[in-house]
């Protein structure tokens, strides 16, 4: 073991990891470079754009702002956890059907924030959806189709309250 490395145990997409990690490695770097889960994107790398968003213990976090060693004992979910047996999740399918992406750079982060947003929610409005999406920078879509896709998903779930 490298004298600088630290032993860490955490769950990553339902896999138990027991690893030795350089304390300077961010969660984003660990996910992409050590685990090869490249669906999570590196954008600004200082907490602004939201491209690197993953879930830690069910909460959406910016993985560029966390060190991987901080994850000890926690549960991490990345965009790769959403599809099952090569079948898109309902949220992903709505993004696909409503063209909620162009280059896709921002998409993984948005999907993970929305995953947290929709879990256990009994109702949501367009205003709430817009507020959530305002935390993610998208340089190509103009957001219209992202909002349409998200509303379509909320309607599918039977929880959309129209406040427009
Ligand atoms: S890459 Fe983490 S917020 Fe932009
Ligand atoms: S789809 Fe290109 S940055 Fe959002």
């Amino acid at each position: 073991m490298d004298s600088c490395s630290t032993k860490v145990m955490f769950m990553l997409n339902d896999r138990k990891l027991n690893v030795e990690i350089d304390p300077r490695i961010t969660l984003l770097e660990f996910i992409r470079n050590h685990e090869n889960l490249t669906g999570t994107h590196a954008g600004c790398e200082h907490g602004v754009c939201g491209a690197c968003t993953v879930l830690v213990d069910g909460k959406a976090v910016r993985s560029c702002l966390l060190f991987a060693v901080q994850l000890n004992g926690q549960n991490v979910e990345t965009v790769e956890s959403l599809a099952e047996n090569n079948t898109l999740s309902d949220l992903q399918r709505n993004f696909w059907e409503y063209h909620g992406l162009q280059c896709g750079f921002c998409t993984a982060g948005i999907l993970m924030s929305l995953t947290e947003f929709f879990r256990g929610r009994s109702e949501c409005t367009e205003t709430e959806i817009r507020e959530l999406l305002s935390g993610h920078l998208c340089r190509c879509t103009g957001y219209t189709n992202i909002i349409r896709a998200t509303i379509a998903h909320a309607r599918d779930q039977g929880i959309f309250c129209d406040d427009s």
Side-chain angles (χ1 to χ4, degrees):
M1 171 172 159
D2 185 314
S3 60
C4 293
S5 296
T6 302
K7 281 190 175 179
V8 183
M9 185 280 290
F10 61 96
M11 298 297 293
L12 177 61
N13 295 344
D14 287 332
R15 271 189 308 132
K16 187 174 183 176
L17 296 184
N18 245 315
V19 284
E20 292 166 7
I21 303 177
D22 181 330
R24 296 167 298 183
I25 299 289
T26 65
L27 176 58
L28 174 61
E29 291 169 321
F30 180 79
I31 289 168
R32 286 183 57 84
N33 303 337
H34 293 245
E35 293 301 307
N36 228 7
L37 295 172
T38 52
T40 304
H41 289 152
C44 65
E45 297 188 66
H46 61 271
V48 176
C49 72
C52 66
T53 302
V54 300
L55 302 187
V56 173
D57 283 351
K59 299 284 181 205
V61 300
R62 308 216 155 180
S63 60
C64 67
L65 296 183
L66 286 173
F67 292 112
V69 291
Q70 292 175 270
L71 275 300
N72 199 31
Q74 301 195 67
N75 183 41
V76 180
E77 297 165 79
T78 71
V79 70
E80 287 86 356
S81 69
L82 298 184
E84 282 185 32
N85 301 322
N86 287 327
T87 302
L88 296 179
S89 69
D90 290 344
L91 179 61
Q92 288 173 307
R93 184 179 43 74
N94 274 303
F95 267 67
W96 175 60
E97 285 183 3
Y98 286 85
H99 307 291
L101 60 144
Q102 285 184 23
C103 77
F105 194 85
C106 66
T107 312
I110 289 175
L111 290 172
M112 296 317 288
S113 283
L114 287 172
T115 296
E116 181 203 10
F117 178 81
F118 280 115
R119 272 186 189 161
R121 181 171 288 263
S122 56
E123 58 180 43
C124 74
T125 64
E126 181 171 341
T127 301
E128 290 172 324
I129 288 170
R130 285 175 177 268
E131 275 175 11
L132 177 120
L133 293 172
S134 70
H136 289 267
L137 299 184
C138 176
R139 58 194 166 183
C140 13
T141 65
Y143 293 90
T144 302
N145 286 355
I146 295 175
I147 294 166
R148 286 179 63 219
T150 307
I151 289 174
H153 183 66
R155 287 192 199 282
D156 284 355
Q157 304 291 303
I159 62 170
F160 185 63
C161 301
D162 195 347
D163 66 346
S164 59

